[in-house]
């Protein structure tokens, strides 16, 4: 009874130092319990010697915003007990040495706090070498890694290399001419997707739409994120909508190869209003959109309609490409392409 009374009178003395520290930093009890269960090192003797230095390092050296450190260590509580000289500092120093800006490093840590769990020599250096060998330009290697720091968690042999081979041999992306490097620099997240359940089915879907291997290769290089979507769920509704309007398979293939993001465009907010304006207001045929698929890339309210209204007011007719492909300065100066008469220019045309 005496021992129980003493324990109840001073509960703080039985609470681990790490719990007291985290409570002091504003973490709620439920989060502290999760952290203690997830990282047993917080309860081990000597942990208290690393808590404050590591927290300070994350704030002052790595540059994490003070308000975001609690959520970051909640995701990866090991950050508070890792060796500062052996783990935290070497990783941060190497990233800085690659030319990464402090805010870029901080953003990468916020995205993937586990980055500090990996060895610089055994994981980061081989990964950077792999990216360089894959064709990523040296000045962009650090940016590629920092935009997708989760790459550190993937095996080069069983994950990264197979994806690279798939892109090269099945999609047709060449390592020469910096094609593969451009793809990876734009979307390194592609390594995180399964070849069997996502990448290959999407490529097959595009093939069934009528796109050639060369078309798909261009799609992959310019818009690599499109290979990572669930084609059945994401692309099929758009294709079915275009088909319902009367576009045949060849025309749909031309539209998609000409402007691949059309597959992600909202039917209600983008495709349908633009088609209706094209046909009902401009008096053009749907084939005109097939001839210039980038029509769907332009804003209806900010570009298509204002330019059409101006041309209509001035009694001028031209192709969609002539109306939309030039910048505002050229449009205002009348430097438009007009199908059969591209040399024709308009004077004093302005919005």
């Amino acid at each position: 009874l005496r021992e129980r009374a003493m324990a109840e009178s001073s509960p703080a003395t039985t609470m681990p130092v790490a719990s007291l520290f985290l409570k002091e930093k504003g973490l709620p009890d439920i989060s502290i319990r999760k952290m203690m269960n997830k990282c047993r090192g917080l309860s081990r003797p000597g942990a208290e010697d690393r808590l404050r230095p590591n927290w300070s390092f994350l704030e002052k050296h790595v540059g994490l915003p003070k308000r975001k450190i609690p959520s970051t260590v909640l995701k990866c509580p090991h950050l508070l007990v890792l060796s500062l000289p052996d783990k935290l500092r070497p990783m941060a120093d190497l990233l800085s040495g690659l030319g990464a800006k402090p805010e870029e490093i901080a953003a990468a840590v916020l995205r993937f706090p586990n980055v500090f769990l990996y060895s610089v020599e055994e994981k980061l250096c081989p990964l950077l070498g792999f990216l360089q060998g894959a064709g990523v330009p040296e000045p962009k290697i650090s940016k590629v890694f920092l935009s997708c720091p989760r790459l550190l968690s993937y095996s080069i042999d069983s994950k990264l290399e197979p994806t690279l081979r798939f892109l090269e041999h099945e999609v047709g992306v060449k390592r020469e001419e910096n094609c593969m490097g451009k793809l990876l620099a734009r979307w390194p997240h592609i390594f995180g997707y399964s070849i069997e359940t996502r990448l290959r089915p999407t490529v097959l879907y595009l093939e069934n739409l009528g796109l050639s291997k060369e078309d798909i290769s261009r799609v992959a290089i310019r818009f690599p994120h499109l290979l990572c979507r669930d084609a059945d769920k994401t692309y099929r509704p758009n294709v079915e909508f275009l088909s319902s309007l009367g576009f045949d398979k060849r025309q749909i293939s031309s539209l998609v190869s000409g402007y691949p993001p059309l597959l992600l465009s909202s039917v209600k907010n983008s495709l349908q209003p633009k088609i209706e304006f094209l046909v009902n207001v401009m008096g053009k045929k749907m084939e005109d959109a097939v001839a210039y698929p980038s029509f769907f890339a332009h804003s209806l309210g900010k570009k298509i309609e204002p330019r059409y209204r101006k041309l209509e007011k001035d009694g001028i007719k031209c192709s969609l490409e002539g109306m939309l492909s030039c910048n505002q300065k050229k449009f205002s100066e009348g430097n438009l392409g007009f199908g059969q008469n591209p040399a024709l220019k308009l004077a004093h045309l302005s919005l």
Side-chain angles (χ1 to χ4, degrees):
L1 290 176
R2 182 181 177 184
E3 291 176 355
R4 180 180 176 184
M6 290 177 64
E8 291 177 350
S9 65
S10 56
T13 59
T14 63
M15 184 178 290
V17 174
S19 297
L20 291 172
F21 174 80
L22 295 172
K23 200 172 186 67
E24 172 192 319
K25 292 297 183 180
L27 278 87
D29 291 340
I30 188 171
S31 296
I32 294 173
R33 285 195 294 272
K34 287 181 180 179
M35 293 177 66
M36 300 297 289
N37 290 331
K38 191 174 182 180
C39 177
R40 298 298 181 182
L42 288 171
S43 304
R44 290 175 186 156
E48 61 273 11
D49 297 332
R50 294 182 175 181
L51 298 175
R52 291 189 187 280
N54 286 17
W55 188 286
S56 177
F57 181 83
L58 293 173
E59 180 183 350
K60 296 178 180 179
H61 191 87
V62 179
L64 298 188
K66 186 180 295 187
R67 59 186 175 82
K68 292 189 176 182
I69 296 179
S71 61
T72 303
V73 296
L74 177 59
K75 292 178 184 176
C76 183
H78 297 82
L79 290 175
L80 295 176
V81 293
L82 288 174
S83 169
L84 186 54
D86 296 334
K87 281 286 189 180
L88 299 182
R89 194 175 296 279
M91 180 65 74
D93 287 350
L94 180 58
L95 294 177
S96 297
L98 290 173
K101 298 176 182 177
E103 57 269 25
E104 292 174 333
I105 297 175
V109 175
L110 291 174
R111 278 193 292 269
F112 187 59
N114 290 31
V115 66
F116 286 108
L117 301 182
Y118 296 93
S119 165
V120 168
E121 294 80 10
E122 296 178 8
K123 290 292 291 187
L124 181 57
C125 290
L127 172 63
L128 299 179
F130 168 82
L131 293 173
Q132 187 173 17
V136 178
E138 190 171 345
K140 293 186 177 181
I141 289 178
S142 65
K143 290 185 180 294
V144 168
F145 168 66
L146 291 172
S147 69
C148 186
R150 191 174 292 274
L151 289 174
L152 268 182
S153 67
Y154 302 145
S155 164
I156 291 178
D157 293 335
S158 63
K159 183 69 173 174
L160 303 186
E161 279 287 2
T163 300
L164 210 60
R165 289 195 297 270
F166 169 80
L167 292 171
E168 184 174 10
H169 300 301
E170 296 190 41
V171 182
V173 180
K174 299 178 180 179
R175 298 202 190 198
E176 299 82 19
E177 302 172 13
N178 201 29
C179 293
M180 188 71 75
K182 289 178 181 177
L183 185 158
L184 298 179
R186 286 178 177 141
W187 193 250
H189 306 274
I190 197 168
F191 285 116
Y193 292 86
S194 166
I195 294 174
E196 298 300 327
T197 63
R198 182 54 57 84
L199 301 181
R200 185 173 287 124
T202 301
V203 169
L204 291 175
Y205 182 86
L206 295 176
E207 288 178 353
N208 290 333
L209 281 183
L211 274 72
S212 67
K213 189 169 184 178
E214 290 73 21
D215 290 333
I216 296 173
S217 176
R218 283 193 292 269
V219 171
I221 295 168
R222 293 174 58 206
F223 306 99
H225 62 285
L226 293 179
L227 297 187
C228 304
R229 305 299 288 265
D230 186 325
D232 256 355
K233 291 182 179 179
T234 309
Y235 302 155
R236 190 175 298 279
N238 287 24
V239 172
E240 290 178 349
F241 170 74
L242 294 173
S243 181
S244 72
L245 294 177
F247 288 106
D248 60 30
K249 184 176 180 179
R250 179 192 62 79
Q251 291 174 321
I252 293 175
S253 174
S254 295
L255 286 170
V256 172
S257 62
Y259 182 61
L262 173 143
L263 290 170
L264 290 176
S265 300
S266 166
V267 169
K268 181 180 179 181
N269 299 321
S270 181
L271 300 184
Q272 186 171 347
K274 288 175 182 177
I275 288 290
E276 289 177 350
F277 188 85
L278 177 75
V279 176
N280 300 333
V281 179
M282 298 179 69
K284 291 187 175 292
K285 298 178 180 180
M286 293 192 300
E287 287 80 357
D288 290 306
V290 178
Y292 183 61
S294 293
F295 165 73
F296 293 102
H298 301 287
S299 167
L300 178 58
K302 295 180 179 179
K303 192 170 185 179
I304 297 174
E305 183 170 2
R307 289 195 176 188
Y308 168 72
R309 296 299 183 193
K310 181 58 184 175
L311 293 176
E312 182 186 40
K313 178 183 176 182
D314 290 356
I316 298 164
K317 292 184 179 181
C318 71
S319 67
L320 291 178
E321 183 174 6
M323 183 178 80
L324 298 169
S325 63
C326 61
N327 59 34
Q328 186 58 42
K329 184 175 185 294
K330 288 184 177 180
F331 181 80
S332 299
E333 293 172 349
N335 294 320
L336 311 179
F338 287 82
Q340 299 301 317
N341 188 11
L344 182 61
K345 295 185 177 183
L346 305 180
H348 312 299
L349 181 63
S350 60
L351 290 177

